[in-house]
Amino acid sequence: MLKGRSLIEPMDLSLEELDELLNLAGKIIENPAAYADVCKGKVLATLFYEPSTRTRLSFEAAMLRLGGSVMGFSSADSSSAAKGESVADTIRTIACYADIAAMRHPKEGAPMVAAMSTDMPVINGGDGGHQHPTQTLTDLLTIRTLKGRLDNFTIGLCGDLKFGRTVHSLIKALSRYENIKFVLISPEELRIPDYIREEILIKNKIEFKEVERLENVMDELDVLYMTRVQKERFFNEADYIRLKDSYILDAEKMENAKSDMIVLHPLPRVNEISTEIDSDPRAAYFKQAKYGMFVRMALIMELLGVEI
Amino acid sequence: MLNIDSVNKGLVIDHIQAGKAMQIYKYLNLDKMDCSVAIIKNAKSKKMGKKDIIKIEDKINLDLDVLGFIDPNITVNVIDNGEIIRKINLELPSAIENIVKCKNPRCITSIEQEIVNKFKLTDKEKKIYRCVYCDTAYEQN
């Protein structure tokens, strides 16, 4: 039971708890109307110290579709943080008004500090470059729903693997399942951090390889997780020009992909996935956004301990 | 060889890596003690070549976690009536609180000073401690 707990990082959940959560999300997808009133009378506070339209609206939509209410702020300027109030004091106050909170904060660990300061469940909605557990839950639900399993597949993670927190969380989460192979596609300077390589992949004897070009590995992948590579992340212009097209997914690259591969992206996309792919049945990134709402519905229900 | 009086009743912190005695002196707040404290630097050691030693002429409550965090190879000898009555071998503590600060400028502890700085041991072999809030590894130098 997750009732009364907080979700700060994806590994806070055991595999059994994760399964239970994803099962509930699956049931909600099948029959959303059955869950339309389960959170009636409950209030979700969205405490967003930095803007994130997508994540905040996904949380709010989730609570509204469960019949609950939402309140909150969407920038630090419009909260008492602007007056210098600590995260701990803010959450203690909010806990007087709300039943559950989702927090995004530019400083890493802020949602953990909040969770340690209150008995109200706190959900980390992204803390700096650190964790974004509901994105990971979204990714897991999407893979499980579309591929039918969370084990025995090869996943390619492409783009900025150094600073991309969604990538780090997803690697950690998938490393607990059987026979997952990772193909890590990035320029050399944007490879996964050493601690992910050593403390997660090598330590758990997980098969992985690091490559520079997406086009060379397309046919190996069951899942392709795209992220954006920003020009300013490259160390020099020459490397950027040499490699930039390799991190853009287009119809030509898709020709070499398996017919049942799925393409994921945490969104927002800029140009790393060509819009010509959008109509390809393997493009799953907009479905993924929808699953994000369903998994947040399941999470809110579990943390509040409400049942159908 | 420099001679320092033996401790009659107190503690001897031995096998300190040469050069680290002052760091330990600071971490253990020995500057605030009223009793005699001797710091011996670069003493000859069969095992280590050279080492530092701290002798404290009083039975104080040492924070063994602090010592273990700085160097788990240190030994602490408890002295009574001029004799060693107990040898304490240290180990790396599984967690430490308010001993060191997180150096990650993006960590919440960088802007909220009253938060307890906590680190947990994530890799015993490599002696890696990570901030519980942001997971940044603490680099010991």
Side-chain angles (χ1 to χ4, degrees), chain A residues 149-163:
Chain A
R149 63 186 188 277
L150 280 173
D151 50 21
N152 295 296
F153 62 79
T154 299
I155 180 168
L157 297 136
C158 176
D160 181 351
L161 308 186
K162 185 174 184 181
F163 298 100

PDB file of all heavy atoms in Angstrom, chain A residues 149-163:
ATOM      1  N   ARG A 149       4.974  -5.743 -22.135  1.00  0.00           N
ATOM      2  CA  ARG A 149       5.888  -6.274 -21.115  1.00  0.00           C
ATOM      3  C   ARG A 149       6.924  -5.211 -20.725  1.00  0.00           C
ATOM      4  O   ARG A 149       7.102  -4.219 -21.443  1.00  0.00           O
ATOM      5  CB  ARG A 149       6.629  -7.508 -21.649  1.00  0.00           C
ATOM      6  CG  ARG A 149       7.532  -7.195 -22.841  1.00  0.00           C
ATOM      7  CD  ARG A 149       8.155  -8.439 -23.468  1.00  0.00           C
ATOM      8  NE  ARG A 149       9.143  -8.083 -24.472  1.00  0.00           N
ATOM      9  CZ  ARG A 149       8.858  -7.776 -25.734  1.00  0.00           C
ATOM     10  NH1 ARG A 149       7.606  -7.758 -26.146  1.00  0.00           N
ATOM     11  NH2 ARG A 149       9.826  -7.461 -26.572  1.00  0.00           N
ATOM     12  N   LEU A 150       7.584  -5.461 -19.603  1.00  0.00           N
ATOM     13  CA  LEU A 150       8.679  -4.570 -19.195  1.00  0.00           C
ATOM     14  C   LEU A 150       9.986  -5.363 -19.071  1.00  0.00           C
ATOM     15  O   LEU A 150      10.886  -4.961 -18.327  1.00  0.00           O
ATOM     16  CB  LEU A 150       8.335  -3.879 -17.868  1.00  0.00           C
ATOM     17  CG  LEU A 150       7.399  -2.663 -17.988  1.00  0.00           C
ATOM     18  CD1 LEU A 150       6.989  -2.156 -16.616  1.00  0.00           C
ATOM     19  CD2 LEU A 150       8.047  -1.535 -18.782  1.00  0.00           C
ATOM     20  N   ASP A 151      10.062  -6.483 -19.751  1.00  0.00           N
ATOM     21  CA  ASP A 151      11.320  -7.244 -19.734  1.00  0.00           C
ATOM     22  C   ASP A 151      11.609  -7.774 -21.137  1.00  0.00           C
ATOM     23  O   ASP A 151      10.776  -7.666 -22.040  1.00  0.00           O
ATOM     24  CB  ASP A 151      11.240  -8.404 -18.735  1.00  0.00           C
ATOM     25  CG  ASP A 151       9.986  -9.239 -18.922  1.00  0.00           C
ATOM     26  OD1 ASP A 151       9.388  -9.202 -20.009  1.00  0.00           O
ATOM     27  OD2 ASP A 151       9.589  -9.939 -17.968  1.00  0.00           O
ATOM     28  N   ASN A 152      12.816  -8.279 -21.305  1.00  0.00           N
ATOM     29  CA  ASN A 152      13.205  -8.884 -22.587  1.00  0.00           C
ATOM     30  C   ASN A 152      13.024  -7.973 -23.798  1.00  0.00           C
ATOM     31  O   ASN A 152      12.300  -8.303 -24.720  1.00  0.00           O
ATOM     32  CB  ASN A 152      12.427 -10.200 -22.811  1.00  0.00           C
ATOM     33  CG  ASN A 152      12.790 -11.236 -21.780  1.00  0.00           C
ATOM     34  OD1 ASN A 152      13.934 -11.675 -21.717  1.00  0.00           O
ATOM     35  ND2 ASN A 152      11.828 -11.585 -20.937  1.00  0.00           N
ATOM     36  N   PHE A 153      13.659  -6.828 -23.774  1.00  0.00           N
ATOM     37  CA  PHE A 153      13.714  -6.015 -24.991  1.00  0.00           C
ATOM     38  C   PHE A 153      14.981  -5.162 -25.012  1.00  0.00           C
ATOM     39  O   PHE A 153      15.687  -5.055 -24.011  1.00  0.00           O
ATOM     40  CB  PHE A 153      12.451  -5.159 -25.169  1.00  0.00           C
ATOM     41  CG  PHE A 153      12.195  -4.156 -24.085  1.00  0.00           C
ATOM     42  CD1 PHE A 153      12.874  -2.950 -24.038  1.00  0.00           C
ATOM     43  CD2 PHE A 153      11.233  -4.407 -23.093  1.00  0.00           C
ATOM     44  CE1 PHE A 153      12.622  -2.020 -23.044  1.00  0.00           C
ATOM     45  CE2 PHE A 153      10.982  -3.485 -22.085  1.00  0.00           C
ATOM     46  CZ  PHE A 153      11.686  -2.294 -22.073  1.00  0.00           C
ATOM     47  N   THR A 154      15.239  -4.609 -26.196  1.00  0.00           N
ATOM     48  CA  THR A 154      16.394  -3.719 -26.362  1.00  0.00           C
ATOM     49  C   THR A 154      15.874  -2.304 -26.521  1.00  0.00           C
ATOM     50  O   THR A 154      15.027  -2.033 -27.368  1.00  0.00           O
ATOM     51  CB  THR A 154      17.202  -4.122 -27.616  1.00  0.00           C
ATOM     52  OG1 THR A 154      17.661  -5.461 -27.439  1.00  0.00           O
ATOM     53  CG2 THR A 154      18.402  -3.199 -27.812  1.00  0.00           C
ATOM     54  N   ILE A 155      16.376  -1.419 -25.667  1.00  0.00           N
ATOM     55  CA  ILE A 155      15.939  -0.021 -25.734  1.00  0.00           C
ATOM     56  C   ILE A 155      17.126   0.856 -26.137  1.00  0.00           C
ATOM     57  O   ILE A 155      18.219   0.725 -25.584  1.00  0.00           O
ATOM     58  CB  ILE A 155      15.311   0.453 -24.392  1.00  0.00           C
ATOM     59  CG1 ILE A 155      14.857   1.919 -24.494  1.00  0.00           C
ATOM     60  CG2 ILE A 155      16.258   0.250 -23.211  1.00  0.00           C
ATOM     61  CD1 ILE A 155      13.983   2.396 -23.344  1.00  0.00           C
ATOM     62  N   GLY A 156      16.889   1.720 -27.106  1.00  0.00           N
ATOM     63  CA  GLY A 156      17.896   2.709 -27.493  1.00  0.00           C
ATOM     64  C   GLY A 156      17.533   4.035 -26.870  1.00  0.00           C
ATOM     65  O   GLY A 156      16.378   4.461 -26.935  1.00  0.00           O
ATOM     66  N   LEU A 157      18.509   4.655 -26.204  1.00  0.00           N
ATOM     67  CA  LEU A 157      18.274   5.986 -25.647  1.00  0.00           C
ATOM     68  C   LEU A 157      19.182   6.927 -26.424  1.00  0.00           C
ATOM     69  O   LEU A 157      20.395   6.707 -26.478  1.00  0.00           O
ATOM     70  CB  LEU A 157      18.604   6.003 -24.155  1.00  0.00           C
ATOM     71  CG  LEU A 157      17.699   5.079 -23.334  1.00  0.00           C
ATOM     72  CD1 LEU A 157      18.488   4.285 -22.326  1.00  0.00           C
ATOM     73  CD2 LEU A 157      16.610   5.874 -22.645  1.00  0.00           C
ATOM     74  N   CYS A 158      18.580   7.940 -27.025  1.00  0.00           N
ATOM     75  CA  CYS A 158      19.329   8.742 -27.989  1.00  0.00           C
ATOM     76  C   CYS A 158      19.299  10.225 -27.633  1.00  0.00           C
ATOM     77  O   CYS A 158      18.260  10.758 -27.266  1.00  0.00           O
ATOM     78  CB  CYS A 158      18.723   8.543 -29.375  1.00  0.00           C
ATOM     79  SG  CYS A 158      19.474   9.568 -30.651  1.00  0.00           S
ATOM     80  N   GLY A 159      20.444  10.883 -27.755  1.00  0.00           N
ATOM     81  CA  GLY A 159      20.501  12.335 -27.581  1.00  0.00           C
ATOM     82  C   GLY A 159      21.403  12.736 -26.445  1.00  0.00           C
ATOM     83  O   GLY A 159      22.515  12.238 -26.306  1.00  0.00           O
ATOM     84  N   ASP A 160      20.884  13.631 -25.605  1.00  0.00           N
ATOM     85  CA  ASP A 160      21.673  14.140 -24.488  1.00  0.00           C
ATOM     86  C   ASP A 160      21.509  13.205 -23.296  1.00  0.00           C
ATOM     87  O   ASP A 160      20.571  13.323 -22.525  1.00  0.00           O
ATOM     88  CB  ASP A 160      21.179  15.553 -24.136  1.00  0.00           C
ATOM     89  CG  ASP A 160      21.966  16.152 -22.988  1.00  0.00           C
ATOM     90  OD1 ASP A 160      22.769  15.441 -22.361  1.00  0.00           O
ATOM     91  OD2 ASP A 160      21.775  17.353 -22.725  1.00  0.00           O
ATOM     92  N   LEU A 161      22.421  12.263 -23.162  1.00  0.00           N
ATOM     93  CA  LEU A 161      22.295  11.264 -22.093  1.00  0.00           C
ATOM     94  C   LEU A 161      23.015  11.709 -20.826  1.00  0.00           C
ATOM     95  O   LEU A 161      22.896  11.089 -19.784  1.00  0.00           O
ATOM     96  CB  LEU A 161      22.856   9.925 -22.565  1.00  0.00           C
ATOM     97  CG  LEU A 161      22.303   9.401 -23.902  1.00  0.00           C
ATOM     98  CD1 LEU A 161      22.824   8.000 -24.171  1.00  0.00           C
ATOM     99  CD2 LEU A 161      20.776   9.412 -23.914  1.00  0.00           C
ATOM    100  N   LYS A 162      23.757  12.819 -20.931  1.00  0.00           N
ATOM    101  CA  LYS A 162      24.498  13.300 -19.763  1.00  0.00           C
ATOM    102  C   LYS A 162      23.599  14.121 -18.838  1.00  0.00           C
ATOM    103  O   LYS A 162      23.574  13.906 -17.637  1.00  0.00           O
ATOM    104  CB  LYS A 162      25.687  14.145 -20.222  1.00  0.00           C
ATOM    105  CG  LYS A 162      26.581  14.595 -19.087  1.00  0.00           C
ATOM    106  CD  LYS A 162      27.812  15.307 -19.596  1.00  0.00           C
ATOM    107  CE  LYS A 162      28.724  15.656 -18.432  1.00  0.00           C
ATOM    108  NZ  LYS A 162      29.921  16.368 -18.882  1.00  0.00           N
ATOM    109  N   PHE A 163      22.869  15.052 -19.426  1.00  0.00           N
ATOM    110  CA  PHE A 163      22.065  15.954 -18.608  1.00  0.00           C
ATOM    111  C   PHE A 163      20.590  15.556 -18.562  1.00  0.00           C
ATOM    112  O   PHE A 163      19.816  16.146 -17.823  1.00  0.00           O
ATOM    113  CB  PHE A 163      22.197  17.391 -19.131  1.00  0.00           C
ATOM    114  CG  PHE A 163      23.602  17.916 -19.052  1.00  0.00           C
ATOM    115  CD1 PHE A 163      24.422  17.923 -20.172  1.00  0.00           C
ATOM    116  CD2 PHE A 163      24.126  18.368 -17.851  1.00  0.00           C
ATOM    117  CE1 PHE A 163      25.719  18.390 -20.108  1.00  0.00           C
ATOM    118  CE2 PHE A 163      25.425  18.833 -17.766  1.00  0.00           C
ATOM    119  CZ  PHE A 163      26.231  18.844 -18.900  1.00  0.00           C
TER     120      PHE A 163
END
